[in-house]
Amino acid sequence: MSELDHTLELLGDLVACPTVSSESNLACIDMLAERLEKAGARVEVFKDETGEKANLYASLGPDVKGGILLSGHSDVVPVEGQDWSSDPFAMTEANGRLHGRGTCDMKGFIAACVAMAPQLAAQASSRPLHFAFTHDEEVGCLGAKFLADQLKNRENLPSVAIIGEPTSMRVVEGHKGCCEYTTRFSGRSGHGSDPAAGVNAVEYASRYIARLMELREALKARTPPASPFEPPWTTINTGALIGGHAHNVIPAQAEVQWEMRPVAEGDASFVRGELQRYINEMLLPEMQAIAPEAAIWTETVGETPGLVPMSEGEAAALACALTGSNGGALVPFNTEAGIFQQLGIDVIVCGPGSIEQAHKPDEYLEISQLQQCLAMLERLGPRLA
């Protein structure tokens, strides 16, 4: 079998593991661990506190510092509410495209890395090659943060990392951070005929959203000079407003799910501070004047750092040499790259597939993109010798 055939076979097996973030990824991690062990890798599996999720960290070659890391997340987004033309967890091929949940984001890259592991193991004589496959990237990069805690005190960390998110094999050297929050409102229920007798949590949540929108505009004035991102300022998005049960009932509970994509140091603390001031000085006093038990609190779902472009670093130069690219790009979406960068690793993002296909029904990965990824990994081999 060719390396492409091995990759397609493994990718089909990975897609068949429904590693939606709400479910376990252990079967997927066990499969990858077995493949890498057969290739001669030193494999470690780190389970989370539930025992139902795990990260995998594996190494080929000498146990020294300065290696190269290939990293991807094993979890995928849900398929509920999406109109798929075929079973999303059974990979199908049509017109040069591989359809299935996770083919693009980002099991195609993982399959290519593991399929190439035996060949790369034979070449990793002087420089180590590491693999990191994580859980729960789609819900706050929880797995990568957990893995970073496991690795941070190790002496022999890699010096370069390639995060294989779908970039159409473009080299990406920078992206914004991502902060995700859920703000909850607890008021007092009552009959809809007398609104003043209760505390309408949905209405207060709506006012909170209005303040978010005001801050979204204020952030434009904080745009750093010559910001390279598009849009160049920190953004805020309201993802969901949940609350209420019936037309004639004052809702006592509501929640707002929102996110922020910082580009400048201090923007996140500015937004959080302004929101807390608005809660303390405006919303809560009004709510508690009627219902002393009323409350507003915010849960941090995840705060993931951005990837800061490095003016001088090996990662971008290496990736450009491996792919034939002539420079690095910037993207608005977030990845685990910033977490690894905070470990002192020089990081870029480059992988097969387009982000335009990620999270959508009939998600697909073009076989030609997978072939380009395999070619990149093949060129990597001699650099490990």
Side-chain angles (χ1 to χ4, degrees):
M1 293 175 67
S2 68
E3 299 301 342
L4 177 60
D5 290 332
H6 282 296
T7 303
L8 293 175
E9 179 184 58
L10 178 54
L11 180 54
D13 292 340
L14 293 176
V15 170
C17 291
T19 52
V20 177
S21 301
S22 59
E23 306 299 325
S24 173
N25 74 331
L26 293 184
C28 177
I29 291 297
D30 288 345
M31 183 191 310
L32 296 170
E34 180 180 1
R35 295 280 191 123
L36 288 170
E37 285 174 344
K38 286 182 178 179
R42 304 179 295 278
V43 177
E44 299 174 87
V45 174
F46 302 101
K47 291 185 178 180
D48 74 348
E49 59 185 12
T50 71
E52 296 298 318
K53 303 287 185 72
N55 295 318
L56 181 153
Y57 188 74
S59 303
L60 295 169
D63 186 16
V64 297
K65 64 178 62 176
I68 298 172
L69 172 67
L70 303 174
S71 182
H73 62 82
S74 65
D75 61 316
V76 298
V77 296
V79 299
E80 283 76 16
Q82 295 187 340
D83 185 16
W84 283 72
S85 301
S86 59
D87 183 348
F89 298 110
M91 189 175 76
T92 59
E93 179 183 344
N95 301 317
R97 295 173 174 177
L98 303 167
H99 293 270
R101 175 55 86 221
T103 52
C104 167
D105 185 20
M106 54 182 296
K107 291 180 176 179
F109 177 77
I110 293 175
C113 291
V114 175
M116 287 291 292
Q119 177 178 325
L120 296 170
Q123 296 171 291
S125 58
S126 63
R127 188 172 192 180
L129 180 66
H130 306 276
F131 304 85
F133 303 135
T134 61
H135 65 84
D136 287 336
E137 186 270 350
E138 300 289 4
V139 289
C141 296
L142 305 182
K145 293 172 184 175
F146 174 55
L147 180 61
D149 284 339
Q150 306 299 313
L151 300 179
K152 63 183 178 183
N153 294 322
R154 296 196 178 189
E155 181 179 353
N156 295 333
L157 282 177
S159 59
V160 172
I162 299 174
I163 313 299
E165 288 278 3
T167 66
S168 299
M169 293 304 297
R170 293 183 306 150
V171 177
V172 170
E173 58 182 357
H175 62 65
K176 298 180 182 182
C178 183
C179 303
E180 298 176 291
Y181 306 98
T182 298
T183 301
R184 294 185 169 87
F185 301 77
S186 180
R188 178 181 288 177
S189 187
H191 197 284
S193 63
D194 189 6
V199 174
N200 191 313
V202 170
E203 292 180 359
Y204 280 96
S206 299
R207 290 172 60 181
Y208 184 86
I209 292 173
R211 182 61 180 144
L212 281 174
M213 295 173 67
E214 291 174 353
L215 290 170
R216 182 167 65 189
E217 290 302 307
L219 286 166
K220 294 179 182 180
R222 295 172 59 92
T223 304
S227 171
F229 295 102
E230 181 57 41
W233 49 78
T234 294
T235 60
I236 292 176
N237 178 63
T238 304
L241 168 58
I242 303 169
H245 301 287
H247 296 80
N248 59 351
V249 178
I250 299 171
Q253 306 294 327
E255 70 177 48
V256 176
Q257 299 174 5
W258 62 282
E259 67 156 27
M260 170 172 43
R261 306 265 173 162
V263 299
E265 186 176 356
D267 278 1
S269 58
F270 164 73
V271 170
R272 290 192 298 263
E274 288 298 311
L275 287 170
Q276 195 58 52
R277 184 176 299 108
Y278 183 60
I279 289 171
N280 293 342
E281 296 179 2
M282 297 293 295
L283 300 185
L284 267 183
E286 292 182 19
M287 295 171 72
Q288 292 178 344
I290 299 171
E293 72 277 14
I296 302 173
W297 66 100
T298 295
E299 172 193 350
T300 300
V301 178
E303 294 178 330
T304 306
L307 175 61
V308 180
M310 303 293 289
S311 57
E312 294 182 5
E314 181 189 0
L318 173 65
C320 287
L322 296 177
T323 61
S325 174
N326 59 5
L330 301 175
V331 293
F333 61 85
N334 187 257
T335 77
E336 297 171 330
I339 297 170
F340 290 105
Q341 188 177 59
Q342 289 188 338
L343 290 175
I345 302 172
D346 188 13
V347 188
I348 60 93
V349 183
C350 181
S354 169
I355 196 66
E356 295 300 321
Q357 305 307 323
H359 300 189
K360 293 182 179 179
D362 293 338
E363 175 184 346
Y364 69 82
L365 171 64
E366 293 184 359
I367 294 177
S368 61
Q369 286 276 304
L370 203 54
Q371 291 172 318
Q372 290 182 44
C373 182
L374 289 168
M376 176 185 75
L377 295 171
E378 188 170 0
R379 296 186 194 106
L380 176 63
R383 296 174 179 268
L384 305 171

